[in-house]
Amino acid sequence: MEYTAEDEILITESFDDLLVSCEKICKSEEDWEIIKRAFTLAKEAHKGVRRRSGEPYILHPIAVAKICVNEIGLGVKSVVASLLHDVVEDTEYTLEDISAMFNPKIASMVDGLTKISGVFNAETSQQAETFRKMLLTLLDDVRVILIKIADRLHNMRTLGAMPREKQIKITSETIYLFAPLAYRLGLYAIKSELEDLSLKYRFPEQYREIEQKLNKTQEQRTAFIEKFDAPIIRKLRESGVDFEISGRVKSIYSIWSKMQNKQIPFEEVYDLFAVRIVFNPSPLIPEKSQCWHIYELVTDIYPSRPDRLRDWITYPKANGYEALHTTVMGPDGVWVEVQIRSRRMDDIAEHGVAAHWKHKYVSDDEAVSDPAFDAWLQQIRDALSSPTENAVDFLDNFQRSLYTSEIVVFTPKGEPRRIPKGATVLDFAYDIHSKLGAKAIGAKVNHRIESLYTPLSNGDQVEILTSANTHPTTEWLEHVTTPKAKQYIKNYLKKHRQNNIERGIAIFEQRMQELGITPSARVFRKLLPAYECSNKDEFYSKLGAEIIRLDHIQEILRQNSANKILKFWTLFVGNKEKENIDDPEPDKKGDKSYVVGAGDDIDENRPSFEIAKCCIPIPGDDVTGYRDPATGKIIVHKTSCNELTRLASQYGSNIVSDIKWSSHKAMSYLSIIELQGIDRIGILLDLAQVITGELSINIRELKIQSHDGIFEGTISIYVTNVQDLNTVMNKIGKIRGVEKVKRIQQEG
Ligand code: MN
């Protein structure tokens, strides 16, 4: 489609706007010239192409460049690379062209921004490979990832035009990787916006609900903050502190997460507030002392919660963040978080790594050392150091390392080392040296002997004990949390795995011969899930390593593998064809939904469904499907499931979004309820009566434990839908002594 005169005006205006932003970064004629040249090329390359929203494509690279300048604080080269970032991927131009027309540096940045192309089979993930490539580029040039984040931010801001599958794929990647990355790079505002936008497109109703409730209570909150601030302002002025104080409400996403994690309504999210005090330090006293002075003044007014004091000044966060955080009891019995920072600390907090970046790169390319930033890069380098790991594992490990907070642990000589919170003695051993890890048998933690699996705490002093006769085992993998330790252990095990596979095959074949069974595909279909193995190799190697045994193999083979409940599922799936980007019209065929019953009479050509074990959705839950590339089956997850998010961020093309429940009143589904309360005689009877008597629902399992006057337990029941489940939970909640009733959500 040719651009209209209106389009041309829009493009020109948008680019002019970018040029205005560039005034603060362009220092020479060459700077202006190269930006204009990049624009001309990008406009030519994307000529006639439109985004899904209908606007000319070139507006996207311009918007990304604008974010880089205005919101991240990047320079000229980044603007040029932003303008060109989709040229190689989407048009005829090659990297060689870019290199010749601009320079090799720009070309290598554009390369880092270009997706990996080619054919990927079910075991590899193009998404994961692309991320790995992007992260590798990060080691040479952090700007690539900052531009990628800007690119993502703009795509998220314009996500409304995308079809549902794409929205789930993109929001998953955003939540799984980009928001944590933005956080790790210290881009807090962008991280927050990415999270909010993800929520907005993933759960539009819940997003709107929180937004409305926040708006409704706006005045009330402003009044509260004023009341809270008043005595602090008075006290700080009296002491001659030069400061600014600002109150803010948590982001919609963080409120939503809290509601999800704690299973509480909006009204019970109590710590909605945070107050920030930024001071201009007086020159003669160290900043640190001044922070503590302000802390003292504040906690003289409001009592603090000792367990919530965070000293990021003595040990700044890995992303360079420095501040003092405390939570105090404000007026009306409300907890308020107070953050205390100097102007310099605030600058780092607001601009994150870009602030480091500016210090690090005085003139766009000339590196200056910055210890905090370099330490962070070193961590990524460690995570990337093993080329044998497949991209999906790598991404999972890397992702996990992004969000964890850190603690400081001391060596026997008193050298402080940062390790992620939750790390064990074994992690620490590997952190010091891979050889020390491989030979570790335990440690002296604060002079006491502890096992390898003991999690370390802030301030521990740790001396690793070794033995020449020990070696890594599969069990170790369950007791380490750092990617580095995992990788070393995996590498060791892999080396020994091939031997195990061969042994496993021999053991298996012998046993099959004894039983007179031919190991057919049908046999493996039963064995693999029963032994929780995802493929034959895993099965053989576990068998060879004696992790699994064939003691019950006959019973397993006798069992009917079909899950009884599955026969009753009825789900609708839209008969939508694969999305076609060139086709701006949404696919009309989506209306032709058909019913799929996962029963015996299933039509071979229709997809069959399986209920995800991680989140166990039941009718009424908002669900999304994931087509298992190995079996073609659609695994049905709750839309809010973390595992689904992980899958969608790596195998986004397998997402099946248009799955709906059909109401099927006669059938029932398994659901698990967790309860807690004060023990009293007869409570069990009351429970059973409510469930089976009044509501005539079938209990499959009732597990109650009681200790010290408290009871807790789980009830597995069959219900027809979410409404029924809620009715049961309400009734149970009203039983005398029951304090908490909660549906079990997915683990981890
Ligand atoms: Mn883009």
Side-chain angles (χ1 to χ4, degrees):
M1 257 180 290
E2 280 297 303
Y3 290 161
T4 62
E6 256 168 60
D7 289 335
E8 291 292 345
I9 293 171
L10 207 62
I11 295 169
T12 310
E13 275 178 1
S14 176
F15 183 61
D16 285 349
D17 199 32
L18 171 65
L19 289 180
V20 173
S21 301
C22 288
E23 269 164 22
K24 54 181 176 270
I25 56 166
C26 285
K27 292 187 194 79
S28 62
E29 263 319 300
E30 287 91 76
D31 286 348
W32 290 110
E33 188 269 333
I34 195 171
I35 290 174
K36 285 176 189 159
R37 210 143 48 82
F39 166 70
T40 312
L41 172 64
K43 192 184 165 197
E44 170 62 26
H46 296 297
K47 194 166 88 186
V49 182
R50 286 171 193 280
R51 300 189 85 206
R52 198 163 252 275
S53 59
E55 61 176 28
Y57 195 89
I58 181 70
L59 293 181
H60 166 65
I62 295 174
V64 173
K66 246 184 259 181
I67 293 171
C68 285
V69 180
N70 295 334
E71 297 178 51
I72 305 182
L74 293 172
V76 173
K77 285 203 174 62
S78 305
V79 168
V80 172
S82 300
L83 287 169
L84 300 174
H85 83 270
D86 280 330
V87 164
V88 172
E89 191 173 306
D90 297 343
T91 76
E92 303 283 283
Y93 290 90
T94 64
L95 284 172
E96 288 73 43
D97 295 338
I98 303 284
S99 183
M101 280 186 268
F102 294 87
N103 59 56
K105 180 77 221 167
I106 298 284
S108 93
M109 287 170 81
V110 173
D111 183 25
L113 292 161
T114 304
K115 265 198 209 110
I116 289 180
S117 58
V119 185
F120 290 84
N121 59 30
E123 272 106 62
T124 55
S125 152
Q126 181 180 6
Q127 277 162 287
E129 294 288 354
T130 297
F131 285 132
R132 175 152 76 171
K133 177 184 164 206
M134 179 176 90
L135 291 164
L136 280 166
T137 325
L138 165 78
L139 295 181
D140 316 320
D141 196 332
V142 128
R143 286 173 295 190
V144 171
I145 214 128
L146 295 170
I147 297 168
K148 199 75 199 168
I149 289 173
D151 180 28
R152 175 53 51 123
L153 181 60
H154 185 246
N155 286 333
M156 289 295 294
R157 283 174 180 170
T158 51
L159 199 58
M162 281 290 171
R164 185 73 181 145
E165 278 92 344
K166 268 276 167 82
Q167 287 182 347
I168 290 177
K169 176 181 168 191
I170 291 171
T171 53
S172 293
E173 289 175 353
T174 301
I175 280 299
Y176 192 72
L177 194 72
F178 285 97
L181 252 179
Y183 168 80
R184 202 62 151 86
L185 292 164
L187 302 165
Y188 294 105
I190 289 180
K191 172 227 174 203
S192 221
E193 187 178 347
L194 287 174
E195 287 174 341
D196 277 0
L197 287 168
S198 299
L199 184 63
K200 185 174 168 183
Y201 290 107
R202 195 71 168 262
F203 298 104
E205 278 153 42
Q206 298 179 26
Y207 179 87
R208 260 194 304 275
E209 200 185 309
I210 297 175
E211 195 181 31
Q212 275 166 7
K213 283 186 172 162
L214 280 178
N215 287 341
K216 240 189 255 166
T217 52
Q218 174 74 43
E219 253 169 65
Q220 216 179 309
R221 278 183 287 113
T222 314
F224 175 84
I225 296 239
E226 272 170 22
K227 189 160 138 195
F228 178 84
D229 287 355
I232 298 180
I233 294 172
R234 211 177 311 126
K235 197 76 171 257
L236 292 187
R237 281 198 186 135
E238 276 168 23
S239 314
V241 182
D242 176 13
F243 70 100
E244 265 169 48
I245 188 164
S246 57
R248 58 185 191 96
V249 177
K250 288 206 159 138
S251 73
I252 294 185
Y253 180 83
S254 64
I255 294 171
W256 177 82
S257 309
K258 198 148 239 181
M259 288 165 64
Q260 292 290 309
N261 294 339
K262 301 207 165 155
Q263 297 245 314
I264 49 175
F266 176 85
E267 288 70 24
E268 283 172 34
V269 180
Y270 61 88
D271 48 352
L272 287 170
F273 304 102
V275 165
R276 183 174 299 154
I277 300 170
V278 178
F279 66 96
N280 295 312
S282 38
L284 296 174
I285 314 161
E287 276 180 2
K288 190 173 168 180
S289 315
Q290 294 182 60
C291 281
W292 284 107
H293 179 59
I294 294 172
Y295 169 82
E296 223 178 297
L297 295 173
V298 171
T299 52
D300 275 352
I301 305 167
Y302 301 116
S304 67
R305 250 178 89 156
D307 60 320
R308 294 292 294 270
L309 176 63
R310 298 283 178 271
D311 176 6
W312 304 118
I313 297 176
T314 313
Y315 298 111
K317 284 192 193 179
N319 62 14
Y321 183 81
E322 291 173 67
L324 205 54
H325 288 194
T326 177
T327 300
V328 299
M329 177 61 82
D332 314 325
V334 176
W335 291 112
V336 178
E337 184 180 273
V338 180
Q339 307 174 347
I340 303 164
R341 307 171 179 168
S342 71
R343 183 64 61 200
R344 178 190 61 83
M345 296 172 187
D346 190 56
D347 189 46
I348 291 174
E350 291 303 308
H351 299 106
V353 91
H356 285 291
W357 180 254
K358 274 179 217 146
H359 300 211
K360 190 174 163 68
Y361 284 75
V362 176
S363 69
D364 224 6
D365 273 332
E366 194 183 324
V368 175
S369 157
D370 179 328
F373 182 67
D374 292 342
W376 185 72
L377 279 187
Q378 186 53 47
Q379 277 187 3
I380 295 183
R381 207 164 277 138
D382 287 347
L384 287 164
S385 64
S386 172
T388 55
E389 192 174 7
N390 78 53
V392 169
D393 284 352
F394 159 74
L395 195 62
D396 283 345
N397 278 336
F398 180 74
Q399 196 269 351
R400 221 168 293 131
S401 75
L402 283 172
Y403 257 142
T404 42
S405 52
E406 292 182 317
I407 56 173
V408 176
V409 174
F410 295 91
T411 66
K413 286 187 179 150
E415 181 205 342
R417 294 183 78 100
R418 296 155 185 284
I419 52 169
K421 198 175 166 187
T424 59
V425 166
L426 195 51
D427 280 307
F428 182 67
Y430 273 104
D431 184 61
I432 294 177
H433 201 284
S434 61
K435 286 197 181 121
L436 189 64
K439 291 291 159 209
I441 50 164
K444 279 188 193 167
V445 178
N446 306 326
H447 306 291
R448 270 186 44 188
I449 303 276
E450 297 282 358
S451 94
L452 282 181
Y453 306 156
T454 310
L456 295 172
S457 309
N458 224 348
D460 280 347
Q461 189 167 32
V462 186
E463 182 188 348
I464 301 295
L465 307 171
T466 57
S467 154
N469 301 325
T470 194
H471 61 82
T473 66
T474 34
E475 199 189 331
W476 281 21
L477 281 176
E478 287 159 35
H479 300 279
V480 293
T481 60
T482 53
K484 191 175 171 182
K486 267 209 177 113
Q487 198 50 53
Y488 277 114
I489 298 169
K490 273 192 193 162
N491 284 352
Y492 177 90
L493 294 173
K494 206 177 237 167
K495 259 195 239 154
H496 293 74
R497 188 165 178 256
Q498 200 49 44
N499 303 337
N500 285 335
I501 290 181
E502 279 156 28
R503 277 191 57 201
I505 292 176
I507 296 172
F508 182 67
E509 281 176 352
Q510 197 197 336
R511 186 84 179 110
M512 287 287 105
Q513 225 162 27
E514 283 168 20
L515 296 170
I517 300 172
T518 325
S520 64
R522 200 187 60 88
V523 166
F524 279 104
R525 266 204 302 278
K526 283 187 175 181
L527 288 182
L528 297 186
Y531 286 105
E532 294 178 352
C533 294
S534 51
N535 54 49
K536 279 192 203 174
D537 272 1
E538 187 185 344
F539 175 72
Y540 288 137
S541 92
K542 282 187 172 167
L543 194 58
E546 291 170 40
I547 295 166
I548 54 177
R549 302 163 64 96
L550 299 178
D551 297 351
H552 300 290
I553 192 160
Q554 280 174 294
E555 287 143 61
I556 292 166
L557 290 175
R558 261 201 303 275
Q559 263 165 28
N560 187 354
S561 63
N563 184 339
K564 291 278 183 285
I565 302 169
L566 281 184
K567 292 189 179 166
F568 304 123
W569 287 108
T570 309
L571 287 155
F572 286 99
V573 65
N575 188 13
K576 217 181 210 171
E577 305 233 314
K578 262 211 146 173
E579 185 230 335
N580 184 353
I581 299 187
D582 302 326
D583 176 14
E585 283 284 295
D587 208 321
K588 290 271 157 47
K589 285 170 224 148
D591 298 333
K592 262 195 271 163
S593 300
Y594 55 88
V595 188
V596 179
D600 293 329
D601 56 342
I602 183 163
D603 179 340
E604 284 289 307
N605 298 320
R606 288 176 178 174
S608 64
F609 291 86
E610 207 169 277
I611 295 309
K613 289 187 190 73
C614 46
C615 53
I616 329 176
I618 63 170
D621 282 333
D622 190 355
V623 289
T624 296
Y626 175 76
R627 185 176 282 109
D628 185 347
T631 61
K633 264 188 196 163
I634 295 176
I635 318 287
V636 182
H637 291 263
K638 283 190 200 163
T639 304
S640 60
C641 174
N642 292 336
E643 175 62 10
L644 176 79
T645 298
R646 192 185 73 81
L647 288 167
S649 67
Q650 292 168 6
Y651 306 101
S653 52
N654 299 334
I655 290 299
V656 185
S657 69
D658 43 358
I659 292 184
K660 297 258 152 28
W661 296 101
S662 73
S663 59
H664 216 297
K665 274 288 177 193
M667 301 306 169
S668 47
Y669 310 95
L670 184 65
S671 207
I672 305 171
I673 299 173
E674 189 179 69
L675 39 147
Q676 238 176 45
I678 298 154
D679 199 16
R680 65 172 173 84
I681 296 166
I683 195 157
L684 210 62
L685 192 68
D686 285 358
L687 269 173
Q689 215 146 42
V690 163
I691 299 166
T692 53
E694 290 183 38
L695 297 161
S696 57
I697 276 170
N698 290 322
I699 307 186
R700 191 179 87 161
E701 195 180 49
L702 182 66
K703 274 194 249 171
I704 301 283
Q705 258 184 7
S706 154
H707 54 87
D708 305 326
I710 304 283
F711 80 87
E712 40 193 15
T714 55
I715 308 177
S716 309
I717 55 172
Y718 286 99
V719 293
T720 12
N721 54 38
V722 168
Q723 282 82 20
D724 282 4
L725 180 65
N726 288 337
T727 314
V728 177
M729 287 175 46
N730 273 333
K731 289 241 176 180
I732 293 175
K734 289 197 179 106
I735 295 175
R736 190 159 60 86
V738 175
E739 296 281 318
K740 212 170 101 188
V741 186
K742 189 173 125 180
R743 176 171 167 199
I744 291 208
Q745 303 292 321
Q746 70 208 68
E747 329 236 310

